[in-house]
């Protein structure tokens, strides 16, 4: 029996009605809902919980901590939820977010929906009000039918009403989160559940350890042959690595597949570093050429969604010029946008193994005119970029500042890069090379702002590695209060804010002259002072050289640091590089 299953008498109750020691000994040992939740999580290897305390889960958080689970308390549930989501991505175990009822639950729900969209395994556990009162809509404290609201926004949702079902409820949540396509799961725990008392032995027997939570899925030999035949017929093959490939942790086999086949590859944003970005087969710097001119494309854990222009249109060259092989654990992903000539449904680890077996002496190799076309394009683009990165001008533009950060990651390849913003995101993605898997964490499938501090905190907690969070000034605002959390837990996080006084640019004006423009912030803000308020290190920099020195100092010291990098307010472009998605009115109304 674990120590948690022995019911502890609350000190206040003890004071009211002191129970003689002998009487306690004689009673059968008891447990309750609180202890059973903790025991169920521990039994399944959950080591960390991200959350915000409050009614009715305050004591649960406290008790988790006392029982050895690490509890990271945030200032807002959305940030705790984002932390849990990225912990799931990094560890292949569901990240846990714990919140209070109604408003806390809703704050966490955004992160849960985002985790589901990104295929990150996560469980949002929220306390809730009394079922009987909620269902009759009698106006309970924070009344809300949370289960019904969560259901359409996540992969699965469960509620536990009886303490003896906690073991099953937690097991179902874990399996739902990590099996098949990973995603977000909601677990509803009504306040009354926590206090339900049970015989300790019966309680322990009700716990469930999830066996083989994410079973291997191996594709049929006929599907593998179809894919290999197509790949061998290619004159201009291309591999696209997505974040599903990064998630799979099949790093060595994926590298072997690329190197043994000799097929050029491009990484999607969070797959950067799966192979180092300076790898000779990386076609990242010739991205538009390979998308347009390739004839057979192997998608490895990447979806043909908006981030790949849905696999069609100008970017993909002539209609019908391309055949796709898609590796994905989710069968329904196939043909989502275009015909998939060779679907390979299975987990990436298993699929890559069987593909490797087929890249044998019969492998024809990749035609050299294809690789030399790509290399020529790469070299031209890389040298064009290098000229922009070398400038040490003040005020800084994005490229100058990013040139300094590119050097930081080159010198510290095991650091984790968190990145959000508009220009700050788009340009950093292209400029900063990554060298190791799962080191680049960013806005993902939705391009959502606000992931920054949650991701940075969880990355530091889960990996123990230094974190560099490169943030647009607007993006940072969505989770900025968590700098207090970073200082409180003394995490090795260095935040760099690209401060260009606003969203996209800092130069908009209100045509009526009444208010600030809708996209601008207080000019010359000093975000570094926020960090100092909580005991961290704040630095203001105006040149790429100063920026590099400040980041190096932060990473050497491991101290929580915020660097306010002054960027020319004129430097950004509207919506970064996805301006085409942002409709602009062409009608000028007469006054
Ligand atoms: P990116 O944005 O990098 O292109 P996506 O999130 O669009 O990546 O796609 C990731 C894909 O990977 C999803 O379709 C998901 O089902 C799939 N996936 C996630 N984990 C695995 C896995 N272990 N094996 C196979 N496919 C996976
Ligand atoms: Mg900005």
């Amino acid at each position: 029996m674990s120590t948690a299953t022995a019911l502890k008498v609350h000190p206040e109750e003890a004071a009211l009605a002191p129970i003689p020691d002998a009487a306690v000994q004689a009673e059968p040992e008891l447990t309750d809902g609180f202890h059973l939740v903790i025991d169920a999580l521990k039994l399944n290897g959950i080591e960390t919980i991200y959350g915000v305390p409050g009614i009715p889960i305050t004591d649960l958080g406290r008790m988790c901590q006392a029982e050895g689970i690490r509890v990271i308390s945030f200032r807002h549930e959305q940030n705790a939820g984002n932390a849990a989501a990225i912990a799931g991505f990094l560890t292949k175990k569901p990240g846990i977010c714990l919140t209070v009822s109604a408003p806390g639950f809703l704050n966490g729900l955004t992160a849960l929906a985002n985790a589901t969209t990104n295929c990150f395994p996560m469980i949002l556990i929220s306390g809730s009000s009394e079922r009987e009162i909620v269902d009759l809509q009698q106006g309970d404290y924070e009344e809300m039918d949370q289960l019904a609201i969560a259901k359409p926004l996540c992969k699965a949702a469960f509620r536990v009403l009886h303490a003896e079902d906690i073991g099953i409820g937690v097991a179902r949540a874990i399996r739902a989160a990590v099996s098949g396509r990973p995603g977000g799961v909601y677990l509803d725990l009504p306040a009354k559940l926590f206090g339900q008392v049970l015989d300790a032995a019966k309680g322990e027997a009700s716990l469930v350890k999830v066996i083989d939570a994410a079973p291997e899925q191996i594709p049929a030999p006929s599907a593998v042959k179809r894919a290999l035949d197509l790949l061998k017929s290619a004159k201009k093959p291309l591999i696209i690595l997505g974040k599903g490939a990064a998630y799979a942790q099949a790093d060595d086999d994926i590298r072997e597949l690329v190197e043994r086949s000799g097929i050029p590859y491009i990484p999607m944003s969070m797959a950067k570093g799966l192979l180092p970005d300076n790898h000779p087969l990386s076609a990242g710097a010739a991205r538009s050429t390979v998308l347009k001119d390739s004839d057979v494309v192997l998608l490895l854990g990447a979806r043909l969604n908006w981030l790949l222009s849905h696999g069609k249109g100008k970017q993909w060259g002539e209609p019908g010029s391309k055949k796709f092989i898609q590796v994905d654990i989710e069968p329904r992903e196939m043909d989502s946008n275009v015909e998939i000539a060779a679907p390979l449904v299975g987990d990436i680890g298993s699929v890559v193994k069987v593909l490797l077996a087929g890249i044998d002496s019969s492998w024809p190799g990749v035609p050299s005119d294809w690789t030399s076309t790509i290399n020529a394009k790469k070299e031209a683009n890389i040298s064009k970029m290098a000229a922009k990165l070398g400038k040490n001008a003040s005020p800084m533009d994005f490229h100058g500042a990013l040139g300094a950060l590119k050097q930081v990651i080159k010198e510290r390849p095991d650091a984790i890069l968190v990145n959000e913003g508009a220009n700050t995101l788009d340009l950093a993605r292209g400029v900063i090379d990554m060298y190791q898997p799962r080191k680049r964490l960013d806005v993902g499938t939705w391009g959502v702002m606000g992931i920054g501090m949650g991701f940075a905190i969880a990355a530091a907690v889960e990996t123990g590695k230094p974190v560099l969070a490169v943030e647009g000034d607007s993006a940072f605002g969505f989770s900025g209060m968590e700098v207090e959390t970073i200082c409180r837990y003394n995490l090795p996080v260095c935040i760099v804010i690209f401060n260009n006084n606003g969203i996209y640019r800092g130069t908009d004006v209100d045509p009526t002259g009444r208010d600030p423009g809708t996209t601008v912030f207080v000019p010359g803000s000093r975000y570094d002072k926020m960090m100092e308020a909580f005991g961290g290190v704040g630095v203001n920099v105006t040149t790429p050289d100063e920026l590099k020195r400040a980041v190096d100092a932060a990473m050497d010291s491991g101290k929580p640091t915020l660097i306010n990098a002054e960027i020319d307010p004129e430097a950004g472009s509207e919506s970064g590089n996805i301006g085409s998605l942002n409709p602009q009115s062409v009608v000028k109304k007469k006054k």
Side-chain angles (χ1 to χ4, degrees):
M1 156 140 358
S2 78
T3 48
T5 40
L7 178 65
K8 292 172 190 81
V9 179
H10 204 275
E12 283 144 291
E13 291 165 24
L16 287 174
I19 306 166
D21 268 6
V24 173
Q25 298 295 318
E27 295 292 322
E29 219 179 339
L30 297 177
T31 187
D32 65 1
F34 283 114
H35 291 91
L36 285 167
V37 171
I38 295 167
D39 289 345
L41 293 173
K42 283 179 75 172
L43 180 67
N44 285 289
I46 302 298
E47 290 162 1
T48 308
I49 288 179
Y50 302 90
V52 178
I55 296 172
I57 48 85
T58 316
D59 224 22
L60 183 63
R62 255 187 220 126
M63 291 164 69
C64 282
Q65 193 172 46
E67 290 294 333
I69 295 181
R70 189 158 194 210
V71 181
I72 308 292
S73 283
F74 282 70
R75 305 299 295 261
H76 190 284
E77 292 86 353
Q78 192 177 117
N79 306 320
N82 284 324
I86 210 67
F89 171 74
L90 289 169
T91 63
K92 296 183 93 173
K93 286 199 287 193
I96 310 287
C97 175
L98 182 63
T99 81
V100 303
S101 38
F105 154 78
L106 287 174
N107 288 342
L109 194 56
T110 303
L112 189 72
N114 188 51
T116 307
T117 301
N118 281 283
C119 317
F120 299 155
M122 165 184 173
I123 303 174
L124 175 67
I125 302 179
S126 296
S128 60
S129 308
E130 293 320 323
R131 290 284 351 128
E132 293 80 355
I133 308 179
V134 172
D135 288 348
L136 275 170
Q137 300 173 33
Q138 292 173 310
D140 200 5
Y141 167 74
E142 295 191 347
E143 176 177 296
M144 177 175 279
D145 189 355
Q146 296 170 197
L147 185 71
I149 290 164
K151 253 180 204 163
L153 295 170
C154 59
K155 190 178 170 192
F158 305 103
R159 172 161 47 227
V160 181
L161 290 176
H162 304 293
E164 57 264 37
D165 291 332
I166 287 173
I168 287 291
V170 169
R172 297 212 74 186
I174 290 172
R175 194 177 285 282
V178 298
S179 62
R181 170 183 279 178
V185 176
Y186 175 60
L187 186 62
D188 190 273
L189 302 182
K192 244 193 306 249
L193 178 77
F194 296 113
Q196 286 179 24
V197 173
L198 211 68
D199 175 77
K202 208 174 141 198
E204 198 185 11
S206 73
L207 299 180
V208 175
K209 189 168 163 68
V210 181
I211 311 291
D212 195 13
E216 283 183 359
Q217 288 186 42
I218 300 156
S222 59
V224 177
K225 182 172 184 307
R226 188 190 295 123
L228 281 168
D229 286 349
L230 182 54
L231 207 54
K232 285 176 187 170
S233 75
K235 297 282 172 287
K236 298 173 173 182
L238 173 68
I239 295 175
I240 300 183
L241 302 173
K243 62 180 173 296
Y247 175 81
Q249 298 193 14
D251 309 334
D252 293 345
D253 282 345
I254 290 172
R255 186 176 180 139
E256 178 75 15
L257 177 69
V258 171
E259 291 182 342
R260 210 195 294 170
S261 69
I263 301 175
Y265 72 93
I266 55 171
M268 299 299 287
S269 191
M270 282 178 59
K272 275 167 73 79
L274 210 40
L275 285 83
D277 278 332
N278 59 355
H279 193 281
L281 287 167
S282 167
R287 184 185 162 97
S288 22
T289 303
V290 291
L291 288 186
K292 188 159 66 59
D293 295 340
S294 53
D295 59 357
V296 175
V297 179
L298 170 64
L299 297 159
L300 204 60
R303 286 173 285 189
L304 286 174
N305 55 20
W306 70 281
L307 288 157
L308 282 169
S309 313
H310 305 279
K312 55 198 172 194
K314 236 182 27 224
Q315 206 187 336
W316 287 92
E318 290 301 310
S321 65
K322 227 150 299 251
K323 287 199 157 43
F324 289 98
I325 302 165
Q326 183 160 25
V327 181
D328 205 293
I329 202 153
E330 172 56 63
R332 286 179 303 174
E333 188 56 41
M334 307 299 161
D335 311 323
S336 61
N337 287 270
V338 296
E339 181 186 281
I340 300 300
L344 273 174
V345 176
D347 73 282
I348 283 169
S350 304
V351 175
V352 170
K353 274 204 169 63
V354 292
L355 284 178
L356 266 176
I359 312 282
D360 51 17
S361 55
S362 69
W363 176 248
V366 175
S368 62
D369 55 341
W370 177 230
T371 40
S372 53
T373 307
I374 295 169
N375 287 339
K377 191 78 201 167
K378 258 173 79 171
E379 275 160 36
N381 284 346
I382 288 171
S383 64
K384 229 193 301 173
M385 178 66 88
K388 288 193 202 170
L389 300 179
K391 283 191 293 184
N392 190 36
S394 177
M396 285 187 277
D397 62 12
F398 285 94
H399 284 96
L402 286 169
L405 300 182
K406 176 191 173 93
Q407 193 59 30
V408 168
I409 295 294
K410 190 172 179 188
E411 290 164 8
R412 303 168 190 267
D414 68 339
I416 294 182
L417 178 72
V418 172
N419 191 197
E420 63 177 334
N423 293 279
T424 306
L425 175 85
D426 293 334
L427 297 172
R429 188 197 297 121
V431 169
I432 302 179
D433 286 336
M434 305 306 297
Y435 303 90
Q436 294 178 14
R438 293 172 296 284
K439 298 293 188 187
R440 187 188 153 83
L441 310 175
D442 68 27
V443 301
T445 307
W446 268 349
V448 69
M449 295 300 118
I451 49 89
M453 296 305 102
F455 278 18
I457 289 167
V461 166
E462 299 289 337
T463 70
K465 301 284 184 206
V467 176
L468 175 64
V470 180
E471 302 271 315
D473 51 346
S474 159
F476 173 72
F478 289 82
S479 66
M481 192 63 215
E482 303 298 346
V483 294
E484 188 276 329
T485 311
I486 292 169
C487 291
R488 184 166 17 110
Y489 289 90
N490 193 26
L491 297 172
V493 174
C494 172
I495 304 158
V496 175
I497 297 191
F498 277 21
N499 186 357
N500 65 346
N501 292 352
I503 300 172
Y504 311 136
R505 305 160 66 87
T507 53
D508 257 14
V509 288
D510 173 358
T512 71
R514 182 173 52 190
D515 286 320
T518 55
T519 58
V520 304
F521 299 141
V522 172
S525 296
R526 291 288 301 275
Y527 293 95
D528 48 313
K529 304 275 185 198
M530 286 177 67
M531 205 60 160
E532 290 175 356
F534 302 109
V537 178
V539 191
N540 189 65
V541 300
T542 59
T543 68
D545 283 352
E546 282 173 23
L547 173 59
K548 170 82 170 38
R549 276 199 298 277
V551 177
D552 280 335
M555 297 229 150
D556 288 339
S557 73
K559 286 190 192 138
T561 302
L562 193 157
I563 301 166
N564 186 61
E566 291 182 21
I567 303 284
D568 184 354
E570 308 266 354
S573 61
E574 178 94 7
S575 306
N577 72 3
I578 53 173
S580 59
L581 298 177
N582 192 10
Q584 311 240 304
S585 172
V586 291
V587 178
K588 296 268 173 291
K589 268 176 83 177
K590 290 206 190 77
K591 294 247 169 61

